[in-house]
Amino acid sequence: MRTVSLLCGVCRLVVIMAWFGINSVFNLIWRTAGFIWRYIRMFGSMVRHGVLRWRKDYGSLKEPERSDEETCAKEEEETCSEGQPEAAVRKRAADTDRELTCKRPRSEEGESEKDVSEEGESEKDVSEDGEPDDEEYRVETSDEFYCEYDSTWETEEQQEDGFRGSRRIRHYKFSRFESAARDMQNYRHNYPSQSRPQHWMKPVSDDKPNLKFYLGLKSSVPDGAFIHDFHNEWYGAYDILEFVHSYIQWLFPLQEPGMNYEASTLTKEEIKEFLQNNTAKENLLKSYRLMLDFYGIELCDEETGEVKRAENWRERFDNLNSHTHNNLRITRILKCLGTLGYPHYQAPLVHFFLEETLVHGELPSVKDSVLSYFVFAVLDKGQRRSLIKFAYLNYDRKDEFVWCPKKIQMKWSQKVMPKKGMNVEYLSLSNEDGAGN
């Protein structure tokens, strides 16, 4: 009897130990899962805040194009090359930045210096608002909000000084602008260095697919549409234009790849022939009108590129404001216009978006993209300065304006500060009237 009782006690002990063992294992698994989940969330937060970065993508056949503009609208910057060790990414980024800062692009055979030099700047480098690039507007690396990737305020002498580090500003808007400035300067310098990993690049085609597409000799891939199909059948088809993501690389080709791997990057040979072909340029103008209509905008002057609201602007603005991947599409359009014969169309379109976002209070989801990307796609340095000045004078929180050095901002502020005895209300009205000069 005592043996049976002893055996029962042992069995109970084994069961209790087994139960606590299973419970411990379960708790261990649960804690491990929670630990992994917390680290996944922390990793995502680090990516959003720019602690971990990878190279941005320019669109997808299956997903809407996602950009720095959309992903970082509420957070910091993001970009750098995906799938590479962090040290290698930083080294490659530093090499690219050094090359951009130290070297002026050289003329290539068959190209003029004006074609490949940055921003079409004149010898005297005088901006549209009559502000010369003299000592008064010279900025130094120690100036607050100086960005080493933005040459808007640099003189020729400063550009030849070589690589210079910038003063670090711990402000999320400035960090995002700095990341954007690197990309936009690469574009404005005619891509002296492609920073995307080589294995991501589609081999350059020798048969000029982008030019053939614009001459009506080749259809887009994978949509199978010719250029006249887009202009005739896709015009006004807003749902298709919104939810199909493989056509924008064909309508507005660039010398940088997008996420439609079946589209080819634009080559310098194509650019040269495109600029000499009236049919191709006329078709590009039709493509521009197509996308302007999609965004609720109308081209009202083909000579100057002036644009205005279309009749259905309110409906189309609602779509543009709620589908922020279009911000990247607009950046692509601006870059393409500057490359393929319509650089004078850039500033009017950017001014339109500045006025809508800063003056009229429309398109809040587009506002940061206009300031960090659209403005700095404008090749002409004088026009770019005028746009930044207009933006600063109409920006509601001037203490958060990070898109030009504080030194420049202070000079602009001094010019519009009310003098003793001056009517402040009258001054504010007069400034609004003359802000775009």
Side-chain angles (χ1 to χ4, degrees), residues 341-409:
Y342 294 94
H344 56 295
Y345 278 17
Q346 292 180 311
L349 181 60
V350 175
H351 188 275
F352 173 85
F353 279 114
L354 285 173
E355 190 168 12
E356 292 294 340
T357 54
L358 302 182
V359 179
H360 302 306
E362 301 287 346
L363 302 171
S365 296
V366 185
K367 179 179 176 180
D368 281 350
S369 296
V370 178
L371 292 164
S372 292
Y373 288 86
F374 297 2
V375 169
F376 294 92
V378 176
L379 294 176
D380 186 273
K381 182 181 289 187
Q383 291 179 341
R384 199 161 66 249
R385 290 178 175 180
S386 296
L387 291 168
I388 297 171
K389 181 177 181 180
F390 177 85
Y392 175 72
L393 295 178
N394 289 279
Y395 200 77
D396 52 351
R397 294 287 302 273
K398 289 183 171 47
D399 58 314
E400 295 182 358
F401 194 89
V402 301
W403 294 276
C404 77
K406 275 288 186 182
K407 175 182 177 180
I408 308 298
Q409 297 180 30

Side-chain angles (χ1 to χ4, degrees), residues 178-189:
E178 191 174 47
S179 176
R182 183 189 300 117
D183 172 64
M184 303 314 293
Q185 180 164 283
N186 190 37
Y187 157 71
R188 295 198 310 269
H189 280 80

